[in-house]
PDB file of all heavy atoms in Angstrom:
ATOM      1  N   GLN A  45      46.773 286.490 148.515  1.00  0.00           N
ATOM      2  CA  GLN A  45      46.037 287.700 148.901  1.00  0.00           C
ATOM      3  C   GLN A  45      44.907 288.009 147.773  1.00  0.00           C
ATOM      4  O   GLN A  45      43.853 288.408 148.285  1.00  0.00           O
ATOM      5  CB  GLN A  45      46.995 288.901 148.933  1.00  0.00           C
ATOM      6  CG  GLN A  45      48.201 288.743 149.913  1.00  0.00           C
ATOM      7  CD  GLN A  45      47.644 288.671 151.410  1.00  0.00           C
ATOM      8  OE1 GLN A  45      46.515 288.938 151.761  1.00  0.00           O
ATOM      9  NE2 GLN A  45      48.458 288.367 152.199  1.00  0.00           N
ATOM     10  N   GLU A  77      71.652 299.413 125.951  1.00  0.00           N
ATOM     11  CA  GLU A  77      70.182 299.385 125.720  1.00  0.00           C
ATOM     12  C   GLU A  77      69.889 298.167 125.125  1.00  0.00           C
ATOM     13  O   GLU A  77      68.763 297.525 125.348  1.00  0.00           O
ATOM     14  CB  GLU A  77      69.865 300.569 124.915  1.00  0.00           C
ATOM     15  CG  GLU A  77      69.857 301.930 125.734  1.00  0.00           C
ATOM     16  CD  GLU A  77      71.290 302.594 125.642  1.00  0.00           C
ATOM     17  OE1 GLU A  77      72.188 301.988 125.067  1.00  0.00           O
ATOM     18  OE2 GLU A  77      71.295 303.634 126.296  1.00  0.00           O
ATOM     19  N   PHE A  94      57.270 279.995 134.641  1.00  0.00           N
ATOM     20  CA  PHE A  94      56.989 279.448 135.974  1.00  0.00           C
ATOM     21  C   PHE A  94      55.840 280.147 136.621  1.00  0.00           C
ATOM     22  O   PHE A  94      55.602 280.019 138.006  1.00  0.00           O
ATOM     23  CB  PHE A  94      58.305 279.784 137.047  1.00  0.00           C
ATOM     24  CG  PHE A  94      59.384 278.754 136.932  1.00  0.00           C
ATOM     25  CD1 PHE A  94      60.486 278.934 136.043  1.00  0.00           C
ATOM     26  CD2 PHE A  94      59.293 277.684 137.665  1.00  0.00           C
ATOM     27  CE1 PHE A  94      61.519 278.007 136.029  1.00  0.00           C
ATOM     28  CE2 PHE A  94      60.421 276.669 137.579  1.00  0.00           C
ATOM     29  CZ  PHE A  94      61.436 276.882 136.696  1.00  0.00           C
ATOM     30  N   ASP A 236      77.932 305.636 149.904  1.00  0.00           N
ATOM     31  CA  ASP A 236      78.361 306.298 148.671  1.00  0.00           C
ATOM     32  C   ASP A 236      77.340 306.104 147.633  1.00  0.00           C
ATOM     33  O   ASP A 236      77.044 304.965 147.270  1.00  0.00           O
ATOM     34  CB  ASP A 236      79.690 305.703 148.216  1.00  0.00           C
ATOM     35  CG  ASP A 236      80.395 306.408 147.129  1.00  0.00           C
ATOM     36  OD1 ASP A 236      79.794 307.241 146.426  1.00  0.00           O
ATOM     37  OD2 ASP A 236      81.534 306.087 146.729  1.00  0.00           O
ATOM     38  N   ASP A 275      49.858 304.480 135.693  1.00  0.00           N
ATOM     39  CA  ASP A 275      49.589 305.238 134.372  1.00  0.00           C
ATOM     40  C   ASP A 275      48.853 304.396 133.540  1.00  0.00           C
ATOM     41  O   ASP A 275      47.994 304.918 132.499  1.00  0.00           O
ATOM     42  CB  ASP A 275      50.902 305.761 133.843  1.00  0.00           C
ATOM     43  CG  ASP A 275      51.585 306.831 134.583  1.00  0.00           C
ATOM     44  OD1 ASP A 275      50.913 307.468 135.452  1.00  0.00           O
ATOM     45  OD2 ASP A 275      52.687 307.066 134.472  1.00  0.00           O
ATOM     46  N   THR A 336      74.775 271.503 148.603  1.00  0.00           N
ATOM     47  CA  THR A 336      75.878 272.386 148.248  1.00  0.00           C
ATOM     48  C   THR A 336      75.561 273.538 147.560  1.00  0.00           C
ATOM     49  O   THR A 336      74.479 273.627 146.966  1.00  0.00           O
ATOM     50  CB  THR A 336      76.976 271.608 147.413  1.00  0.00           C
ATOM     51  OG1 THR A 336      76.433 271.228 146.235  1.00  0.00           O
ATOM     52  CG2 THR A 336      77.482 270.384 148.312  1.00  0.00           C
ATOM     53  N   ASP A 417      27.456 263.082 151.213  1.00  0.00           N
ATOM     54  CA  ASP A 417      27.486 261.712 151.921  1.00  0.00           C
ATOM     55  C   ASP A 417      28.035 261.845 153.357  1.00  0.00           C
ATOM     56  O   ASP A 417      27.579 261.136 154.220  1.00  0.00           O
ATOM     57  CB  ASP A 417      28.445 260.774 151.104  1.00  0.00           C
ATOM     58  CG  ASP A 417      28.448 259.414 151.696  1.00  0.00           C
ATOM     59  OD1 ASP A 417      27.250 258.796 151.699  1.00  0.00           O
ATOM     60  OD2 ASP A 417      29.612 258.892 152.024  1.00  0.00           O
ATOM     61  N   MET A 420      30.078 265.876 158.262  1.00  0.00           N
ATOM     62  CA  MET A 420      31.049 266.274 159.113  1.00  0.00           C
ATOM     63  C   MET A 420      32.490 266.206 158.493  1.00  0.00           C
ATOM     64  O   MET A 420      33.332 267.050 159.015  1.00  0.00           O
ATOM     65  CB  MET A 420      30.973 265.176 160.351  1.00  0.00           C
ATOM     66  CG  MET A 420      29.800 265.358 161.115  1.00  0.00           C
ATOM     67  SD  MET A 420      29.428 267.052 161.664  1.00  0.00           S
ATOM     68  CE  MET A 420      30.793 267.412 162.818  1.00  0.00           C
TER      69      MET A 420
END
Side-chain angles (χ1 to χ4, degrees):
Q45 299 297 347
E77 288 83 359
F94 277 96
D236 190 350
D275 289 345
T336 60
D417 185 59
M420 292 309 294

